[in-house]
Amino acid sequence: MNWQNIWGERAHFVIFDAAYGDGAAFQKTLRAWRNDPRRPARLHYIALANEALPGYRRIPQIEDAVTLDLLSAPLDSALEQLTARLDVIWLHDVQDAGTRFAHALGKLAAPGALLDAESLTHAQVATLGRAGFAWEPGGQRAVYASRRPQAEAAPPRARHAIVIGAGLAGAAACERLCVRGWKVTLIERHAQPAREASGNRAGITMPLLSKDDNLMTRLSRAAFLYAQAYWNRIDENSIDQARCGVLQLARDAAHAEVQRAIAASHPYPLDFAEWLEAPAATGLLGAPAPDGAWLFRQGGWIRPASACGAMLTACGEALTRRFGAGTVTLEKRGADWCAIDAAGEVLAQAPVLVLANGTGAADVAQAAGLPLAAVRGQVTHLAEGAAPALPFVLCREAYLTPAVGGLHSLGASYDDDDDPALRQASQDQNLDKIRTMLGDPALGRAAPLLGRVGFRCVAPDRMPLVGALPDPEAAGRIERLRDVPRHQGVYGLLGYASRGLTWAPLAAELLAAQLNGEPLPLEADLVAALDPARFLLRERRRGEVG
């Protein structure tokens, strides 16, 4: 294919490949892109792949201007869940895919999109023709010629954003926008990043599992896999971490039966998740594990502040930092948002505002209506040697890390109050859970009161909020998410609860793709499940029913 005559110097160029195979076609396209001085600024390659794990998977590449999305799903359902505008479509090895996919492909194709096909059935050729593809003689190539209007969100007039909050959510947002050529001003009320919920000595990263492979499980899997590659891509040497594995014990016999059912219905690759029966789990733990355990070999711990620092360093000169800003007022002036400090000085002005300040978002008028709760979490620190020297993270009702800087972290409590001080009651609860898990009633009996208190930002459905913030004051009938009025230029990365290290990279990638008008890295139903407007939509629907 003569790419010079096809992709020109476009801002984005999107290819859909119906059979990724061994990736040879992707590598050939990538070489052509690298060697063409008139190449598009960003290349997006989306391919159907026979992956061991289902769903969408975005794989970070050496060049930040290249995205690779592998979709492990039947062709029709993969296309129905895709959010993209396709410029080139390769259809091969789809003879057994039926014809349903043609309608979805017609909705995704950009005007003038080129389709190259092999061995299509007569029914597939005819159905694609009705979907808007005009075939050349021979039925191997077609051009999308439909005149049906195609709605497409226009990117902001200027690629400049203000990000509020320098924890995991905010730092990831800065990095994902800066690599796309955006200018970003980061505003943090503290003098250093990661001073609140992202300030623990060690956070845990691991996937979630369920028998029905529900939305939370699918998000966790996609985010976990993306994060593993992302941390390597940023700078693994500057991030204090250990992929030592996570051993998650079953709670009891009934819980173990559920886990066996999950293992039987989902044959996960062993490097992703392995179910261990009691003898194997006990041997690995060195203590009784009578109900078995999951072993997540790629899981482990990361010091969140080091991850934040690495992400901010990766932003380079595109990032302006305003630390120690204290209380900031946000004000709309014309098409821009202004961040104003207590002295009345304008710290930043931009058309896009991203709230990534966790529980602090409740103090911002545009986010005040979101149903976010601040949940207290006290982490207990034990001196090295006061807990077993396990080579992995142990978890069940609580977690226990290997010693990091001479201290084990364990906990964290889940308290419904706003006390910022360490307290013995929460430490005792943390220790009791670890004692039960390890069968050691003496563990930590004389331990001093050491640890840290943070406040998680939690949504009612425990899912994060990613996207444009709704305007609850706007009147009108609301039937779908796309009908919900939004605060112009205001976006959120909120509600990460206890999973910031797993969710932050992919959530920031999703928001950056939305802002930049790119293909989205998640299925459409997952994007909808993360939309901050979901709560307002549910509320309006309940009101109509009532």
Side-chain angles (χ1 to χ4, degrees):
M1 188 170 283
N2 188 350
W3 290 113
Q4 289 88 348
N5 296 332
I6 296 174
W7 58 28
E9 296 178 333
R10 303 190 201 185
H12 303 277
F13 195 82
V14 184
I15 299 170
F16 177 79
D17 182 353
Y20 183 73
D22 61 2
F26 169 63
Q27 293 299 330
K28 183 177 180 180
T29 305
L30 188 56
R31 286 193 296 271
W33 178 83
R34 287 170 175 162
N35 295 328
D36 187 354
R38 298 184 63 249
R39 66 191 181 213
R42 295 190 66 83
L43 175 65
H44 307 274
Y45 197 97
I46 305 168
L48 215 61
N50 187 21
E51 292 281 275
L53 294 169
Y56 285 21
R57 182 180 178 188
R58 176 156 291 183
I59 303 175
Q61 300 298 299
I62 295 173
E63 293 96 345
D64 285 312
V66 178
T67 60
L68 172 62
D69 292 339
L70 298 184
L71 321 182
S72 183
L75 177 60
D76 53 356
S77 57
L79 291 172
E80 288 168 358
Q81 288 289 322
L82 183 60
T83 305
R85 253 321 154 248
L86 308 180
D87 299 300
V88 166
I89 300 160
W90 292 331
L91 287 181
H92 39 115
D93 299 332
V94 299
Q95 304 94 306
D96 299 327
T99 61
R100 181 181 165 187
F101 70 85
H103 177 68
L105 206 53
K107 293 173 65 176
L108 295 172
L114 302 179
L115 186 152
D116 191 275
E118 288 181 9
S119 304
L120 297 183
T121 67
H122 291 298
Q124 289 171 335
V125 170
T127 308
L128 285 164
R130 290 192 294 271
F133 291 93
W135 290 98
E136 297 178 359
Q140 297 246 328
R141 292 199 169 186
V143 176
Y144 187 70
S146 174
R147 295 182 179 180
R148 181 174 54 192
Q150 294 182 326
E152 186 170 355
R157 61 176 179 85
R159 300 203 306 164
H160 183 194
I162 299 169
V163 174
I164 308 294
L168 288 165
C174 292
E175 193 276 331
R176 290 289 81 199
L177 287 171
C178 285
V179 299
R180 287 168 164 84
W182 283 57
K183 290 183 178 180
V184 179
T185 302
L186 173 61
I187 297 177
E188 167 57 51
R189 70 188 188 96
H190 295 289
Q192 299 291 332
R195 305 302 289 179
E196 297 200 15
S198 299
N200 289 339
R201 295 181 65 87
I204 311 306
T205 178
M206 57 183 284
L208 299 174
L209 306 177
S210 64
K211 188 174 181 180
D212 61 354
D213 205 36
N214 56 39
L215 289 170
M216 178 72 84
T217 300
R218 289 165 51 203
L219 173 65
S220 166
R221 179 170 61 241
F224 176 77
L225 294 172
Y226 181 82
Q228 298 302 295
Y230 176 82
W231 297 128
N232 286 345
R233 179 72 182 84
I234 288 293
D235 184 357
E236 62 179 330
N237 294 322
S238 66
I239 298 177
D240 191 8
Q241 64 176 322
R243 295 188 187 175
C244 52
V246 176
L247 187 69
Q248 183 181 33
L249 301 175
R251 293 191 300 270
D252 51 36
H255 186 243
E257 281 302 311
V258 174
Q259 307 316 302
R260 292 187 187 97
I262 294 173
S265 58
H266 300 288
Y268 295 117
L270 296 184
D271 63 344
F272 178 76
E274 181 183 4
W275 171 251
L276 304 177
E277 290 293 353
T282 297
L284 191 60
L285 180 61
D291 299 306
W294 282 104
L295 176 61
F296 303 106
R297 287 183 171 84
Q298 297 181 54
W301 62 265
I302 299 176
R303 186 168 65 86
S306 70
C308 290
M311 288 187 285
L312 295 180
T313 298
C315 293
E317 296 182 357
L319 178 67
T320 300
R321 310 182 190 204
R322 302 287 192 214
F323 287 0
T327 301
V328 172
T329 302
L330 300 172
E331 181 180 309
K332 191 76 179 293
R333 295 182 180 178
D336 286 348
W337 285 95
C338 294
I340 305 165
D341 68 11
E345 179 186 353
V346 176
L347 300 177
Q349 183 170 339
V352 170
L353 172 66
V354 179
L355 300 180
N357 52 340
T359 58
D363 299 325
V364 179
Q366 291 73 24
L370 297 174
L372 297 172
V375 178
R376 181 182 183 274
Q378 180 171 321
V379 177
T380 295
H381 293 156
L382 286 181
E384 188 171 6
L390 299 176
F392 45 76
V393 176
L394 178 67
C395 67
R396 193 171 66 189
E397 296 88 355
Y399 65 82
L400 172 67
T401 72
V404 179
L407 292 174
H408 297 273
S409 293
L410 60 106
S413 66
Y414 228 80
D415 306 317
D416 189 19
D417 64 78
D418 59 359
D419 181 8
L422 288 171
R423 62 189 184 210
Q424 190 64 45
S426 294
Q427 174 153 311
D428 290 343
Q429 292 172 8
N430 290 339
L431 288 168
D432 283 344
K433 292 173 182 176
I434 300 300
R435 289 168 187 147
T436 301
M437 289 163 59
L438 289 169
D440 182 358
L443 190 147
R445 285 293 179 194
L449 182 59
L450 292 176
R452 185 179 185 277
V453 174
F455 290 87
R456 313 172 183 92
C457 181
V458 182
D461 57 8
R462 297 297 190 266
M463 298 278 274
L465 283 67
V466 182
L469 296 192
D471 181 359
E473 301 301 320
R477 184 178 179 85
I478 299 175
E479 296 182 350
R480 294 159 296 187
L481 281 171
R482 67 186 185 191
D483 300 327
V484 178
R486 312 286 174 142
H487 289 294
Q488 185 179 4
V490 185
Y491 302 83
L493 288 169
L494 302 164
Y496 288 10
S498 305
R499 307 189 188 280
L501 285 165
T502 300
W503 285 346
L506 186 57
E509 175 72 2
L510 171 59
L511 181 60
Q514 290 173 330
L515 290 172
N516 223 35
E518 302 171 11
L520 302 188
L522 283 172
E523 298 96 318
D525 62 349
L526 276 176
V527 174
L530 305 184
D531 193 318
R534 64 189 187 266
F535 304 106
L536 179 60
L537 179 62
R538 293 169 192 167
E539 180 183 312
R540 294 287 179 90
R541 284 175 171 173
R542 283 196 299 268
E544 290 176 3
V545 172

